[in-house]
Amino acid sequence: MVSIDGLTSIWDTLLGAQPDPPPLLVLLTGVGALVVVSTGRLWRVARNAVTIAHEGGHALAALLTGRRLHGIRLHSDTSGLTLSAGRPTGLGMVITLLAGYLAPPLVGLAGAGILGGNRITLLLWVAVALLLAMLVLIRNVFGALSLLVTGGLVLAVSWYAAPQVQAAFAYTGVWFLLLGGLRPVVELQRLRARGRMPASDADQLAGITPFPAFFWVSVFALVNLAVLGFGAVLLAGRILTGHGLSG
């Protein structure tokens, strides 16, 4: 049984600010994330994290717009599927379809905001909590294993790793989500151009709005670029000033 002092210590660890990471660490983690996003073999493995955020975005949007969420599937080819029920048209469906490709960089931006206050452990624990919440909605074995492995890794880093290791892990993850939101949009358009994704989110949006699929692909790209720029400014502030954004 955990004592009151133990609970207080955990609470202080969770909400307390960690030491400022070296500016070089912030820079190198950004470069490392860019290498992962740009390298085919590394991307094929790491893309699972983007898929988790993508499907999580669909699921959250469906719940917030009043749709009935039936479950999420994550597949070994890094694709995913979120099943919800409700009106097949209307604003709720538009928001649900939009949320997938926009979710990874938006999650990264939220992470950059938390890192701005040096709440590195808090960021890692929030990530674990979100993964556990998503696990309840998973409807296939590979999806459950993906979330358990990812959540277990994040929890282990937050619990056992030294502060600098936690910082490197957290900054790499945030940079990766910010940068990794763009490559799936490029891949989407390439596949669409070859006629290999006729039921993509963009094509479904085209079917329920007056705008063509390429318009929605452009929206994905422009929003994700803007979010990447904003997130990079938040993170790069540490490189330029040499200390935390919160002082």
Side-chain angles (χ1 to χ4, degrees):
M1 187 173 182
V2 181
S3 66
I4 298 298
D5 289 341
L7 289 174
T8 301
S9 176
I10 293 173
W11 188 254
D12 289 342
T13 299
L14 179 61
L15 296 182
Q18 281 72 49
D20 291 339
L24 182 60
L25 181 146
V26 181
L27 176 62
L28 291 179
T29 54
V31 172
L34 181 60
V35 169
V36 172
V37 172
S38 305
T39 306
R41 290 184 179 179
L42 295 175
W43 171 248
R44 281 191 290 275
V45 175
R47 195 184 195 279
N48 282 290
V50 173
T51 302
I52 290 171
H54 179 113
E55 300 305 329
H58 280 315
L60 180 60
L63 291 172
L64 292 178
T65 57
R67 297 180 62 81
R68 297 186 302 278
L69 187 60
H70 292 320
I72 301 170
R73 291 178 175 271
L74 303 173
H75 303 133
S76 58
D77 62 355
T78 72
S79 66
L81 178 65
T82 299
L83 298 172
S84 64
R87 288 184 57 193
T89 60
L91 182 60
M93 189 63 185
V94 170
I95 292 173
T96 299
L97 289 169
L98 269 174
Y101 280 98
L102 302 184
L106 287 174
V107 172
L109 180 61
I114 295 175
L115 290 179
N118 275 0
R119 265 63 180 186
I120 295 170
T121 302
L122 175 62
L123 173 63
L124 297 176
W125 282 31
V126 166
V128 171
L130 291 174
L131 290 167
L132 287 175
M134 191 172 173
L135 181 61
V136 177
L137 302 170
I138 291 294
R139 297 293 181 266
N140 67 324
V141 174
F142 180 82
L145 287 175
S146 294
L147 290 183
L148 287 172
V149 170
T150 304
L153 176 62
V154 177
L155 182 61
V157 170
S158 70
W159 195 261
Y160 297 109
Q164 292 287 21
V165 176
Q166 289 189 27
F169 185 85
Y171 274 91
T172 300
V174 167
W175 276 117
F176 176 73
L177 288 173
L178 288 169
L179 292 162
L182 287 173
R183 180 161 177 170
V185 178
V186 175
E187 293 173 343
L188 167 65
Q189 185 54 31
R190 286 177 178 171
L191 290 172
R192 288 191 63 259
R194 299 170 187 168
R196 294 174 58 186
M197 287 193 72
S200 71
D201 293 349
D203 289 282
Q204 291 182 66
L205 282 164
I208 62 174
T209 67
F211 306 105
F214 184 73
F215 169 84
W216 293 110
V217 175
S218 300
V219 169
F220 297 154
L222 291 173
V223 172
N224 288 2
L225 274 172
V227 173
L228 169 60
F230 189 25
V233 168
L234 290 177
L235 296 175
R238 296 180 177 277
I239 302 171
L240 298 175
T241 63
H243 55 75
L245 298 177
S246 61

